[in-house]
Amino acid sequence: IKDLQLGHNLPILSHLRNFTATDGTGDLALDLNAVYNGGLQMSLDLDVPTKSHGAIRVTADIRVQSASARLHVEVGAPPSDCWWVGFAVQPELDLEVVVHRGHTPDAQDIGETTKDILHQLKAKLLKGLTLP
């Protein structure tokens, strides 16, 4: 991650369910709905494989236009500073991705790769954040 900006809006949280304290340890678990329209932005430096010249460096600027999902949150017992957040189901994501290509002759070889980068980013994000 080259840059990260959280945006100006907080997520809207609603429909809190299954708020439980687990077996006297002080751990908390809850499920809730979250809608985010805050404009989180990040820039990633990526090495993109090409067919003829190996990998080339590109920068992907990603803006989360909106996201909505059912979340599962667990918070460790005090004095723990650990907490976990995961999507209970695959979230609805609206991402805007702009890929900046390098200024080398190899840069011309990635052509339609921008769509592939967007697809792979969404897949990896969803895999990493969606609970089994």
Side-chain angles (χ1 to χ4, degrees):
I1 296 177
K2 183 177 170 180
D3 186 32
L4 178 66
Q5 297 177 16
L6 297 178
H8 298 290
N9 296 327
L10 295 172
I12 297 170
L13 306 175
S14 63
H15 296 95
L16 174 66
R17 292 189 198 132
N18 300 329
F19 184 78
T20 57
T22 57
D23 60 31
T25 63
D27 293 348
L28 296 176
L30 56 106
D31 294 315
L32 53 94
N33 291 342
V35 176
Y36 177 72
N37 294 306
L40 178 134
Q41 298 178 58
M42 69 179 103
S43 292
L44 303 174
D45 282 338
L46 306 169
D47 291 321
V48 178
T50 63
K51 293 179 183 178
S52 58
H53 298 288
I56 61 170
R57 177 63 55 125
V58 299
T59 298
D61 292 329
I62 303 161
R63 180 180 171 95
V64 179
Q65 301 285 49
S66 65
S68 63
R70 184 89 181 138
L71 294 177
H72 179 76
V73 179
E74 292 191 21
V75 180
S80 173
D81 58 357
C82 295
W83 56 291
W84 301 264
V85 176
F87 294 113
V89 296
Q90 185 169 332
E92 294 179 25
L93 286 177
D94 181 11
L95 300 178
E96 177 184 307
V97 178
V98 177
V99 177
H100 303 277
R101 300 176 183 140
H103 298 289
T104 66
D106 296 349
Q108 302 306 317
D109 292 338
I110 67 171
E112 291 292 315
T113 306
T114 301
K115 291 178 187 175
D116 293 336
I117 291 171
L118 176 59
H119 178 72
Q120 289 180 22
L121 284 171
K122 278 187 178 179
K124 287 184 187 272
L125 179 65
L126 294 176
K127 182 179 179 184
L129 294 176
T130 303
L131 299 171

